[in-house]
Structures are given as C-alpha cells and as structure tokens.
Amino acid sequence: MRHFATFLMFLSAIAAFAQPHVVAHRGYWRTEGSAQNSIASLRKAAEAGCWGSEFDVWLTADGVPVVFHDGTLEGIRIEDTTYATLMNHCLKNGEFIPTLQQYLQEALRLPDIRLIFEIKPHRNAKRDAAISELSVELVNMLGLASRTDYISFSKHVCKRLHELDPDAKIAYLSGDLSPQEIKDMGLTGIDYNTGVFDKHPDWPMEAKKLGLEVNVWTVDGEEALTRFAKMPGIDIITTNDPATLIKINKELDGK
Ligand code: MG
C-alpha cells in the first residue's frame, strides 16, 4: 500500500512537472473589449493569469516599430506606409495600432507576464536587421530583457538578435531546423506548429536534452490542448484559448 501511495505521488509529481506554460496568441483577444495585438489584449492576458502573451512586430516605412499581425492593412503594406497613415485605422476594439513603445510601456505596468515578442520577416536582410536592432534597444532600455522571449520565422532575425544580445532567449518558428541545428545557431528554443511535432514526435524530448525550450503553436480546443498539455517535452503552449488551457492545467494538476 505504501508503495502504491509513493507511486501515486510520483505520478502526480510528473504531472505537475509537465504543466505547460500558457501563452495567449496575439494577446487574449477572444474576450469582451479586446482585439488581436491590442494593448487591451496584453492587459487581459495578464488578468487571466497567462504566463506569457505573444505579439507581432513590423517596422513602418518611416522606421516606427508597430504591433500588428498582418503584413498589409486594407491593401496597404505596413512596411511601405508611415505610422501617421496607420493612425487612420483602428483595431476592432477601437484602439489605434500600438507602437512597440506604447505596448512595452503597458508591459511595464504588468510585471507578472512574459513577453513573447515576434519579429515578422521583413522585405530584406537589411530591414530584418533594422527591426531586430530597434527591438533589442527598446527592450533593453525599458529594462524588459529578462521578461522577453524573442521569436521569428526569419533566420536572419534570429541570428541578428543573438549577435545583439547573446543572453537573449530566442526561438525559431519555421519548423525546418532540427533541435541540434537550433542549438548550433546559439538559439534557446523551438517554437513550432503542431504539425511539425506530429511529423517529428521525437523533437520535443530531443530539444529538452539539448537544454532548449519547446513551444507549440497554435493549439485551440479542449481536445488538442489536453493532448499537448500531456505531451512530454512541451514547455509552452501558444493558444487563442488561454482560459481553457488554464482550466485544463488545473484539472491535470488535480486542483
Ligand atoms: Mg505571431
């Protein structure tokens, strides 16, 4: 009987160890008064108790880093327009498109949430470098480096970020590099689509053995969230449905 109790404790320890961190994809936007990549979505992710909140960053033609997902807005390419022109548009909750500085200043008021900072692949290596440099400068200037995880689909961006701040946490998104290749580039994590882990089920544990962090995107719905929450080697789940994942984590934790 005592052995059985020990066994149960062992199982619950594994379960506790396996709880993935919850990252709100583009902030917590599927809730009243919010919108993707809005300042409200960052605040609401923090209020919901998310571990981190993800957001996307572009550089405008006149050199202003802005928080927005798509490369275009009503036919206008973000990289080809000025910030003043973007001010003619509002997000679905009525906010203006935030500048990176405005967004990060809100983050200063929310000390418990991590920033999952995605830099979009820009038109060329020069612009990839420019947005990487501005991002690191601003994050460091505001004292947010220890709370920031950079992510990008662009190898240029990941490499430049690593050169700029060798201590920064940087994960690659595209899914075409093995954990060993990521380690060799000096990056700290993989942040891959669910399909990549379905194709390479050994990569999460392979990454863990190399000391890399493992994030999976974008996992939605109770069934998929539960499957990835139980998957060995997954550290972080990025979801549009953070409240459901928080609930699943509590159930798996036996609370
Ligand atoms: Mg993103």
Side-chain angles (χ1 to χ4, degrees), residues 101-162:
Q101 183 157 349
Q102 288 166 342
Y103 194 90
L104 294 180
Q105 275 169 340
E106 181 66 19
L108 290 175
R109 288 187 276 271
L110 305 166
D112 297 329
I113 195 152
R114 281 195 78 77
L115 303 170
I116 316 302
F117 187 136
E118 178 175 353
I119 297 181
K120 288 295 185 188
H122 283 58
R123 184 186 291 118
N124 52 44
K126 198 175 159 200
R127 284 184 63 81
D128 276 346
I131 184 61
S132 303
E133 286 153 22
L134 282 168
S135 298
V136 170
E137 194 182 326
L138 198 52
V139 163
N140 290 352
M141 187 181 83
L142 293 174
L144 289 167
S146 63
R147 287 170 54 196
T148 299
D149 295 355
Y150 295 100
I151 57 173
S152 187
F153 285 98
S154 162
K155 292 186 186 90
H156 285 136
V157 167
C158 290
K159 281 182 188 163
R160 188 69 191 120
L161 288 168
H162 181 56

Short mmCIF file of all heavy atoms in Angstrom, two decimals, residues 101-162:
data_model
loop_
_atom_site.label_atom_id
_atom_site.label_comp_id
_atom_site.label_asym_id
_atom_site.label_seq_id
_atom_site.Cartn_x
_atom_site.Cartn_y
_atom_site.Cartn_z
N GLN A 101 6.67 50.89 -28.59
CA GLN A 101 6.98 51.59 -27.34
C GLN A 101 5.74 51.68 -26.43
O GLN A 101 5.82 51.41 -25.23
CB GLN A 101 7.52 52.98 -27.63
CG GLN A 101 7.92 53.70 -26.35
CD GLN A 101 8.93 54.80 -26.57
OE1 GLN A 101 9.50 54.93 -27.65
NE2 GLN A 101 9.15 55.59 -25.54
N GLN A 102 4.60 52.03 -27.01
CA GLN A 102 3.36 52.09 -26.22
C GLN A 102 3.03 50.72 -25.61
O GLN A 102 2.64 50.61 -24.45
CB GLN A 102 2.18 52.54 -27.11
CG GLN A 102 2.24 54.00 -27.51
CD GLN A 102 1.29 54.34 -28.65
OE1 GLN A 102 0.82 53.45 -29.38
NE2 GLN A 102 1.00 55.60 -28.83
N TYR A 103 3.22 49.70 -26.43
CA TYR A 103 2.89 48.33 -25.99
C TYR A 103 3.80 47.90 -24.83
O TYR A 103 3.34 47.38 -23.82
CB TYR A 103 3.05 47.39 -27.19
CG TYR A 103 2.44 46.03 -27.00
CD1 TYR A 103 1.12 45.77 -27.36
CD2 TYR A 103 3.19 44.98 -26.47
CE1 TYR A 103 0.57 44.51 -27.20
CE2 TYR A 103 2.64 43.73 -26.31
CZ TYR A 103 1.34 43.50 -26.68
OH TYR A 103 0.79 42.24 -26.50
N LEU A 104 5.09 48.18 -24.99
CA LEU A 104 6.04 47.78 -23.95
C LEU A 104 5.87 48.60 -22.68
O LEU A 104 6.11 48.11 -21.57
CB LEU A 104 7.48 47.87 -24.47
CG LEU A 104 7.84 46.90 -25.60
CD1 LEU A 104 9.30 47.10 -26.03
CD2 LEU A 104 7.61 45.44 -25.21
N GLN A 105 5.44 49.85 -22.86
CA GLN A 105 5.19 50.67 -21.66
C GLN A 105 4.02 50.10 -20.85
O GLN A 105 4.03 50.14 -19.62
CB GLN A 105 4.98 52.13 -22.04
CG GLN A 105 6.33 52.81 -22.15
CD GLN A 105 6.29 54.19 -22.79
OE1 GLN A 105 5.34 54.53 -23.49
NE2 GLN A 105 7.32 54.96 -22.55
N GLU A 106 3.03 49.55 -21.55
CA GLU A 106 1.94 48.88 -20.82
C GLU A 106 2.49 47.64 -20.10
O GLU A 106 2.11 47.36 -18.97
CB GLU A 106 0.83 48.47 -21.79
CG GLU A 106 -0.37 47.79 -21.13
CD GLU A 106 -1.15 48.70 -20.20
OE1 GLU A 106 -1.02 49.93 -20.30
OE2 GLU A 106 -1.91 48.16 -19.35
N ALA A 107 3.41 46.94 -20.76
CA ALA A 107 4.01 45.75 -20.14
C ALA A 107 4.72 46.10 -18.83
O ALA A 107 4.76 45.29 -17.89
CB ALA A 107 4.98 45.09 -21.11
N LEU A 108 5.27 47.30 -18.75
CA LEU A 108 5.93 47.72 -17.51
C LEU A 108 4.96 47.76 -16.34
O LEU A 108 5.34 47.59 -15.19
CB LEU A 108 6.57 49.11 -17.69
CG LEU A 108 7.79 49.18 -18.60
CD1 LEU A 108 8.23 50.63 -18.77
CD2 LEU A 108 8.94 48.35 -18.04
N ARG A 109 3.69 48.02 -16.66
CA ARG A 109 2.66 48.06 -15.60
C ARG A 109 2.14 46.67 -15.24
O ARG A 109 1.30 46.52 -14.36
CB ARG A 109 1.49 48.95 -16.05
CG ARG A 109 1.83 50.43 -16.06
CD ARG A 109 0.59 51.27 -16.33
NE ARG A 109 0.33 51.39 -17.75
CZ ARG A 109 0.85 52.35 -18.55
NH1 ARG A 109 1.64 53.27 -18.03
NH2 ARG A 109 0.56 52.39 -19.82
N LEU A 110 2.58 45.65 -15.99
CA LEU A 110 2.09 44.27 -15.79
C LEU A 110 3.29 43.36 -15.52
O LEU A 110 3.72 42.60 -16.39
CB LEU A 110 1.34 43.82 -17.06
CG LEU A 110 0.19 44.72 -17.53
CD1 LEU A 110 -0.24 44.37 -18.94
CD2 LEU A 110 -1.00 44.60 -16.58
N PRO A 111 3.86 43.45 -14.34
CA PRO A 111 5.17 42.83 -14.11
C PRO A 111 5.18 41.30 -14.12
O PRO A 111 6.25 40.70 -14.19
CB PRO A 111 5.57 43.37 -12.73
CG PRO A 111 4.28 43.73 -12.07
CD PRO A 111 3.37 44.18 -13.16
N ASP A 112 4.00 40.67 -14.05
CA ASP A 112 4.00 39.21 -13.92
C ASP A 112 3.88 38.46 -15.24
O ASP A 112 3.86 37.23 -15.24
CB ASP A 112 2.86 38.77 -12.98
CG ASP A 112 3.07 39.31 -11.58
OD1 ASP A 112 4.24 39.47 -11.19
OD2 ASP A 112 2.06 39.60 -10.90
N ILE A 113 3.76 39.17 -16.34
CA ILE A 113 3.56 38.45 -17.61
C ILE A 113 4.81 38.52 -18.48
O ILE A 113 5.48 39.55 -18.54
CB ILE A 113 2.30 38.97 -18.36
CG1 ILE A 113 1.90 37.98 -19.46
CG2 ILE A 113 2.46 40.38 -18.90
CD1 ILE A 113 0.44 37.99 -19.79
N ARG A 114 5.13 37.38 -19.11
CA ARG A 114 6.27 37.36 -20.05
C ARG A 114 5.84 37.85 -21.41
O ARG A 114 4.68 37.69 -21.81
CB ARG A 114 6.83 35.93 -20.20
CG ARG A 114 7.70 35.51 -19.06
CD ARG A 114 8.52 34.28 -19.40
NE ARG A 114 9.67 34.57 -20.23
CZ ARG A 114 10.80 35.10 -19.78
NH1 ARG A 114 10.95 35.41 -18.52
NH2 ARG A 114 11.80 35.32 -20.62
N LEU A 115 6.79 38.42 -22.13
CA LEU A 115 6.52 38.97 -23.46
C LEU A 115 7.08 38.03 -24.51
O LEU A 115 8.29 37.76 -24.53
CB LEU A 115 7.17 40.35 -23.57
CG LEU A 115 6.71 41.32 -22.49
CD1 LEU A 115 7.56 42.57 -22.49
CD2 LEU A 115 5.24 41.66 -22.66
N ILE A 116 6.19 37.50 -25.33
CA ILE A 116 6.62 36.61 -26.41
C ILE A 116 6.59 37.45 -27.67
O ILE A 116 5.54 37.67 -28.28
CB ILE A 116 5.71 35.35 -26.51
CG1 ILE A 116 5.44 34.76 -25.12
CG2 ILE A 116 6.35 34.34 -27.46
CD1 ILE A 116 6.66 34.36 -24.30
N PHE A 117 7.74 37.95 -28.02
CA PHE A 117 7.93 39.08 -28.93
C PHE A 117 8.29 38.55 -30.32
O PHE A 117 9.42 38.15 -30.57
CB PHE A 117 9.08 39.90 -28.33
CG PHE A 117 9.41 41.22 -28.96
CD1 PHE A 117 9.66 42.32 -28.15
CD2 PHE A 117 9.54 41.38 -30.33
CE1 PHE A 117 10.01 43.54 -28.69
CE2 PHE A 117 9.87 42.59 -30.88
CZ PHE A 117 10.11 43.67 -30.08
N GLU A 118 7.30 38.51 -31.21
CA GLU A 118 7.57 38.00 -32.57
C GLU A 118 7.97 39.14 -33.51
O GLU A 118 7.22 40.10 -33.68
CB GLU A 118 6.36 37.27 -33.14
CG GLU A 118 6.67 36.79 -34.56
CD GLU A 118 5.61 35.94 -35.22
OE1 GLU A 118 4.62 35.58 -34.56
OE2 GLU A 118 5.78 35.66 -36.42
N ILE A 119 9.12 38.97 -34.14
CA ILE A 119 9.53 39.91 -35.19
C ILE A 119 9.21 39.27 -36.53
O ILE A 119 9.68 38.16 -36.84
CB ILE A 119 11.03 40.25 -35.08
CG1 ILE A 119 11.31 40.94 -33.73
CG2 ILE A 119 11.47 41.13 -36.25
CD1 ILE A 119 12.74 41.34 -33.50
N LYS A 120 8.37 39.95 -37.32
CA LYS A 120 7.95 39.40 -38.61
C LYS A 120 9.11 39.45 -39.61
O LYS A 120 9.94 40.35 -39.55
CB LYS A 120 6.76 40.21 -39.13
CG LYS A 120 5.47 39.95 -38.36
CD LYS A 120 5.05 38.51 -38.57
CE LYS A 120 3.73 38.16 -37.96
NZ LYS A 120 3.47 36.71 -38.04
N PRO A 121 9.14 38.50 -40.54
CA PRO A 121 10.19 38.55 -41.57
C PRO A 121 9.92 39.74 -42.50
O PRO A 121 8.84 39.86 -43.07
CB PRO A 121 10.03 37.24 -42.34
CG PRO A 121 9.12 36.39 -41.51
CD PRO A 121 8.27 37.33 -40.70
N HIS A 122 10.90 40.65 -42.59
CA HIS A 122 10.74 41.86 -43.40
C HIS A 122 11.25 41.62 -44.82
O HIS A 122 11.70 40.54 -45.17
CB HIS A 122 11.39 43.05 -42.70
CG HIS A 122 10.56 43.58 -41.56
ND1 HIS A 122 10.18 42.79 -40.49
CD2 HIS A 122 9.98 44.78 -41.35
CE1 HIS A 122 9.43 43.50 -39.66
NE2 HIS A 122 9.29 44.73 -40.16
N ARG A 123 11.18 42.66 -45.64
CA ARG A 123 11.41 42.55 -47.08
C ARG A 123 12.81 42.05 -47.42
O ARG A 123 13.00 41.31 -48.36
CB ARG A 123 11.16 43.90 -47.73
CG ARG A 123 11.28 43.89 -49.23
CD ARG A 123 11.16 45.28 -49.78
NE ARG A 123 9.82 45.82 -49.64
CZ ARG A 123 9.49 46.91 -48.93
NH1 ARG A 123 10.42 47.57 -48.29
NH2 ARG A 123 8.25 47.32 -48.87
N ASN A 124 13.79 42.45 -46.65
CA ASN A 124 15.16 42.03 -46.95
C ASN A 124 15.97 41.97 -45.64
O ASN A 124 15.50 42.38 -44.58
CB ASN A 124 15.82 43.00 -47.96
CG ASN A 124 15.70 44.45 -47.52
OD1 ASN A 124 15.93 44.76 -46.35
ND2 ASN A 124 15.36 45.34 -48.43
N ALA A 125 17.19 41.48 -45.78
CA ALA A 125 18.04 41.26 -44.60
C ALA A 125 18.33 42.58 -43.88
O ALA A 125 18.45 42.61 -42.65
CB ALA A 125 19.33 40.57 -45.01
N LYS A 126 18.41 43.66 -44.65
CA LYS A 126 18.71 44.96 -44.05
C LYS A 126 17.57 45.39 -43.11
O LYS A 126 17.81 45.87 -42.00
CB LYS A 126 18.90 45.99 -45.19
CG LYS A 126 19.60 47.24 -44.76
CD LYS A 126 19.86 48.14 -45.97
CE LYS A 126 20.08 49.56 -45.47
NZ LYS A 126 19.87 50.55 -46.50
N ARG A 127 16.33 45.21 -43.58
CA ARG A 127 15.20 45.59 -42.74
C ARG A 127 15.02 44.60 -41.58
O ARG A 127 14.61 44.98 -40.48
CB ARG A 127 13.93 45.74 -43.57
CG ARG A 127 13.94 47.05 -44.38
CD ARG A 127 12.65 47.26 -45.15
NE ARG A 127 11.46 47.40 -44.31
CZ ARG A 127 11.09 48.53 -43.70
NH1 ARG A 127 11.79 49.63 -43.85
NH2 ARG A 127 10.00 48.56 -42.96
N ASP A 128 15.32 43.33 -41.82
CA ASP A 128 15.31 42.34 -40.72
C ASP A 128 16.27 42.80 -39.61
O ASP A 128 15.96 42.72 -38.42
CB ASP A 128 15.77 40.96 -41.22
CG ASP A 128 14.65 40.16 -41.87
OD1 ASP A 128 13.47 40.52 -41.71
OD2 ASP A 128 14.97 39.16 -42.54
N ALA A 129 17.46 43.26 -40.05
CA ALA A 129 18.46 43.71 -39.07
C ALA A 129 17.98 44.97 -38.37
O ALA A 129 18.10 45.10 -37.14
CB ALA A 129 19.79 43.96 -39.78
N ALA A 130 17.39 45.90 -39.14
CA ALA A 130 16.95 47.18 -38.55
C ALA A 130 15.88 46.95 -37.48
O ALA A 130 15.97 47.52 -36.37
CB ALA A 130 16.42 48.09 -39.65
N ILE A 131 14.89 46.12 -37.75
CA ILE A 131 13.83 45.89 -36.75
C ILE A 131 14.38 45.12 -35.55
O ILE A 131 13.98 45.38 -34.41
CB ILE A 131 12.57 45.21 -37.37
CG1 ILE A 131 11.45 45.06 -36.34
CG2 ILE A 131 12.88 43.88 -38.00
CD1 ILE A 131 10.93 46.35 -35.76
N SER A 132 15.33 44.23 -35.79
CA SER A 132 15.95 43.50 -34.67
C SER A 132 16.69 44.47 -33.76
O SER A 132 16.58 44.40 -32.52
CB SER A 132 16.91 42.43 -35.19
OG SER A 132 16.23 41.55 -36.05
N GLU A 133 17.45 45.38 -34.38
CA GLU A 133 18.25 46.33 -33.59
C GLU A 133 17.35 47.27 -32.77
O GLU A 133 17.58 47.47 -31.57
CB GLU A 133 19.16 47.15 -34.53
CG GLU A 133 20.33 46.30 -35.03
CD GLU A 133 20.89 46.74 -36.38
OE1 GLU A 133 20.68 47.91 -36.76
OE2 GLU A 133 21.53 45.90 -37.04
N LEU A 134 16.32 47.81 -33.42
CA LEU A 134 15.40 48.70 -32.69
C LEU A 134 14.70 47.97 -31.55
O LEU A 134 14.48 48.52 -30.47
CB LEU A 134 14.33 49.24 -33.66
CG LEU A 134 14.78 50.39 -34.57
CD1 LEU A 134 13.75 50.62 -35.67
CD2 LEU A 134 14.97 51.67 -33.76
N SER A 135 14.33 46.71 -31.80
CA SER A 135 13.60 45.93 -30.78
C SER A 135 14.46 45.69 -29.55
O SER A 135 14.02 45.94 -28.42
CB SER A 135 13.15 44.59 -31.37
OG SER A 135 12.27 44.80 -32.45
N VAL A 136 15.69 45.23 -29.78
CA VAL A 136 16.58 44.93 -28.64
C VAL A 136 16.89 46.22 -27.87
O VAL A 136 16.90 46.23 -26.64
CB VAL A 136 17.87 44.22 -29.13
CG1 VAL A 136 18.90 44.14 -28.02
CG2 VAL A 136 17.53 42.83 -29.65
N GLU A 137 17.10 47.30 -28.62
CA GLU A 137 17.41 48.58 -27.98
C GLU A 137 16.28 49.02 -27.04
O GLU A 137 16.49 49.39 -25.89
CB GLU A 137 17.64 49.63 -29.07
CG GLU A 137 18.29 50.90 -28.57
CD GLU A 137 18.45 51.92 -29.70
OE1 GLU A 137 18.68 51.51 -30.86
OE2 GLU A 137 18.33 53.11 -29.42
N LEU A 138 15.05 48.92 -27.55
CA LEU A 138 13.90 49.37 -26.76
C LEU A 138 13.64 48.44 -25.56
O LEU A 138 13.41 48.91 -24.44
CB LEU A 138 12.67 49.43 -27.68
CG LEU A 138 11.49 50.24 -27.22
CD1 LEU A 138 11.89 51.66 -26.82
CD2 LEU A 138 10.43 50.31 -28.33
N VAL A 139 13.71 47.14 -25.80
CA VAL A 139 13.51 46.17 -24.71
C VAL A 139 14.54 46.40 -23.61
O VAL A 139 14.20 46.44 -22.41
CB VAL A 139 13.57 44.71 -25.26
CG1 VAL A 139 13.77 43.70 -24.13
CG2 VAL A 139 12.30 44.40 -26.05
N ASN A 140 15.79 46.57 -24.00
CA ASN A 140 16.84 46.76 -23.01
C ASN A 140 16.70 48.10 -22.29
O ASN A 140 16.87 48.19 -21.07
CB ASN A 140 18.22 46.64 -23.66
CG ASN A 140 18.52 45.21 -24.08
OD1 ASN A 140 17.75 44.29 -23.76
ND2 ASN A 140 19.59 45.01 -24.81
N MET A 141 16.36 49.15 -23.07
CA MET A 141 16.22 50.48 -22.48
C MET A 141 15.12 50.49 -21.41
O MET A 141 15.25 51.14 -20.38
CB MET A 141 15.88 51.47 -23.59
CG MET A 141 15.87 52.91 -23.16
SD MET A 141 15.41 53.94 -24.56
CE MET A 141 13.64 53.81 -24.52
N LEU A 142 14.04 49.74 -21.67
CA LEU A 142 12.93 49.72 -20.71
C LEU A 142 13.13 48.68 -19.59
O LEU A 142 12.27 48.51 -18.74
CB LEU A 142 11.61 49.43 -21.45
CG LEU A 142 11.14 50.54 -22.41
CD1 LEU A 142 9.92 50.10 -23.19
CD2 LEU A 142 10.83 51.83 -21.64
N GLY A 143 14.24 47.98 -19.63
CA GLY A 143 14.53 47.01 -18.57
C GLY A 143 13.67 45.75 -18.66
O GLY A 143 13.38 45.11 -17.65
N LEU A 144 13.28 45.39 -19.89
CA LEU A 144 12.38 44.24 -20.05
C LEU A 144 13.08 42.98 -20.57
O LEU A 144 12.43 41.97 -20.84
CB LEU A 144 11.24 44.62 -21.01
CG LEU A 144 10.21 45.61 -20.45
CD1 LEU A 144 9.33 46.16 -21.58
CD2 LEU A 144 9.35 44.93 -19.39
N ALA A 145 14.41 43.04 -20.71
CA ALA A 145 15.12 41.92 -21.34
C ALA A 145 14.87 40.58 -20.64
O ALA A 145 14.68 39.55 -21.30
CB ALA A 145 16.61 42.22 -21.40
N SER A 146 14.83 40.61 -19.30
CA SER A 146 14.69 39.33 -18.57
C SER A 146 13.28 38.76 -18.67
O SER A 146 13.05 37.61 -18.32
CB SER A 146 15.08 39.52 -17.10
OG SER A 146 14.17 40.43 -16.51
N ARG A 147 12.35 39.56 -19.17
CA ARG A 147 10.95 39.08 -19.31
C ARG A 147 10.57 38.84 -20.76
O ARG A 147 9.40 38.61 -21.06
CB ARG A 147 9.97 40.13 -18.75
CG ARG A 147 9.96 40.24 -17.25
CD ARG A 147 9.15 41.45 -16.84
NE ARG A 147 7.81 41.43 -17.42
CZ ARG A 147 7.01 42.49 -17.49
NH1 ARG A 147 7.41 43.65 -17.01
NH2 ARG A 147 5.81 42.39 -18.02
N THR A 148 11.56 38.90 -21.66
CA THR A 148 11.25 38.83 -23.09
C THR A 148 11.80 37.57 -23.72
O THR A 148 12.97 37.24 -23.54
CB THR A 148 11.82 40.08 -23.80
OG1 THR A 148 11.22 41.24 -23.23
CG2 THR A 148 11.56 40.04 -25.30
N ASP A 149 10.94 36.89 -24.49
CA ASP A 149 11.37 35.77 -25.35
C ASP A 149 11.13 36.22 -26.79
O ASP A 149 9.98 36.49 -27.16
CB ASP A 149 10.51 34.52 -25.12
CG ASP A 149 10.66 33.93 -23.73
OD1 ASP A 149 11.50 34.42 -22.96
OD2 ASP A 149 9.92 32.99 -23.42
N TYR A 150 12.19 36.31 -27.57
CA TYR A 150 12.01 36.67 -28.98
C TYR A 150 11.69 35.42 -29.79
O TYR A 150 12.24 34.34 -29.53
CB TYR A 150 13.29 37.29 -29.54
CG TYR A 150 13.68 38.61 -28.92
CD1 TYR A 150 14.66 38.67 -27.93
CD2 TYR A 150 13.07 39.79 -29.32
CE1 TYR A 150 15.03 39.88 -27.36
CE2 TYR A 150 13.43 41.01 -28.75
CZ TYR A 150 14.41 41.04 -27.77
OH TYR A 150 14.78 42.24 -27.21
N ILE A 151 10.83 35.59 -30.80
CA ILE A 151 10.53 34.51 -31.73
C ILE A 151 10.48 35.09 -33.14
O ILE A 151 10.11 36.25 -33.32
CB ILE A 151 9.21 33.77 -31.39
CG1 ILE A 151 8.01 34.73 -31.36
CG2 ILE A 151 9.32 33.04 -30.05
CD1 ILE A 151 6.65 34.02 -31.19
N SER A 152 10.85 34.26 -34.13
CA SER A 152 10.74 34.74 -35.52
C SER A 152 10.77 33.56 -36.49
O SER A 152 11.42 32.54 -36.23
CB SER A 152 11.87 35.71 -35.86
OG SER A 152 11.64 36.26 -37.15
N PHE A 153 10.06 33.76 -37.63
CA PHE A 153 10.15 32.81 -38.74
C PHE A 153 11.43 33.06 -39.55
O PHE A 153 11.77 32.26 -40.41
CB PHE A 153 8.96 33.00 -39.69
CG PHE A 153 7.66 32.43 -39.17
CD1 PHE A 153 6.73 33.26 -38.56
CD2 PHE A 153 7.37 31.09 -39.31
CE1 PHE A 153 5.53 32.75 -38.09
CE2 PHE A 153 6.17 30.57 -38.85
CZ PHE A 153 5.24 31.40 -38.24
N SER A 154 12.07 34.19 -39.32
CA SER A 154 13.23 34.59 -40.12
C SER A 154 14.53 34.15 -39.46
O SER A 154 14.81 34.52 -38.31
CB SER A 154 13.22 36.12 -40.29
OG SER A 154 14.50 36.56 -40.68
N LYS A 155 15.34 33.41 -40.21
CA LYS A 155 16.66 33.02 -39.68
C LYS A 155 17.54 34.26 -39.51
O LYS A 155 18.30 34.35 -38.55
CB LYS A 155 17.35 32.04 -40.64
CG LYS A 155 16.67 30.68 -40.72
CD LYS A 155 17.52 29.72 -41.58
CE LYS A 155 16.82 28.39 -41.80
NZ LYS A 155 15.97 28.35 -42.98
N HIS A 156 17.43 35.22 -40.47
CA HIS A 156 18.20 36.47 -40.35
C HIS A 156 17.92 37.15 -39.01
O HIS A 156 18.83 37.60 -38.33
CB HIS A 156 17.77 37.50 -41.43
CG HIS A 156 18.28 37.19 -42.79
ND1 HIS A 156 17.50 37.28 -43.90
CD2 HIS A 156 19.51 36.82 -43.20
CE1 HIS A 156 18.21 36.96 -44.96
NE2 HIS A 156 19.43 36.67 -44.57
N VAL A 157 16.62 37.27 -38.70
CA VAL A 157 16.23 37.96 -37.46
C VAL A 157 16.79 37.21 -36.25
O VAL A 157 17.40 37.82 -35.37
CB VAL A 157 14.69 38.09 -37.38
CG1 VAL A 157 14.25 38.49 -35.97
CG2 VAL A 157 14.18 39.09 -38.41
N CYS A 158 16.62 35.89 -36.23
CA CYS A 158 17.10 35.11 -35.08
C CYS A 158 18.61 35.28 -34.90
O CYS A 158 19.10 35.48 -33.79
CB CYS A 158 16.76 33.63 -35.24
SG CYS A 158 15.00 33.28 -35.08
N LYS A 159 19.35 35.22 -36.01
CA LYS A 159 20.82 35.35 -35.94
C LYS A 159 21.21 36.75 -35.46
O LYS A 159 22.11 36.91 -34.64
CB LYS A 159 21.44 35.11 -37.32
CG LYS A 159 21.53 33.64 -37.67
CD LYS A 159 22.19 33.48 -39.03
CE LYS A 159 22.12 32.03 -39.49
NZ LYS A 159 22.37 31.89 -40.92
N ARG A 160 20.55 37.78 -36.00
CA ARG A 160 20.88 39.17 -35.62
C ARG A 160 20.57 39.40 -34.13
O ARG A 160 21.35 40.04 -33.42
CB ARG A 160 20.09 40.15 -36.50
CG ARG A 160 20.52 41.59 -36.31
CD ARG A 160 21.91 41.86 -36.86
NE ARG A 160 22.40 43.17 -36.45
CZ ARG A 160 23.51 43.37 -35.73
NH1 ARG A 160 24.26 42.35 -35.34
NH2 ARG A 160 23.87 44.58 -35.40
N LEU A 161 19.43 38.88 -33.68
CA LEU A 161 19.07 39.04 -32.26
C LEU A 161 20.14 38.40 -31.37
O LEU A 161 20.53 38.97 -30.35
CB LEU A 161 17.71 38.38 -31.98
CG LEU A 161 16.48 39.09 -32.54
CD1 LEU A 161 15.25 38.18 -32.44
CD2 LEU A 161 16.21 40.41 -31.80
N HIS A 162 20.61 37.23 -31.78
CA HIS A 162 21.63 36.53 -30.98
C HIS A 162 22.94 37.32 -30.95
O HIS A 162 23.61 37.38 -29.91
CB HIS A 162 21.85 35.13 -31.55
CG HIS A 162 22.85 34.33 -30.78
ND1 HIS A 162 22.76 34.10 -29.42
CD2 HIS A 162 24.01 33.74 -31.17
CE1 HIS A 162 23.80 33.39 -29.02
NE2 HIS A 162 24.57 33.16 -30.06
#
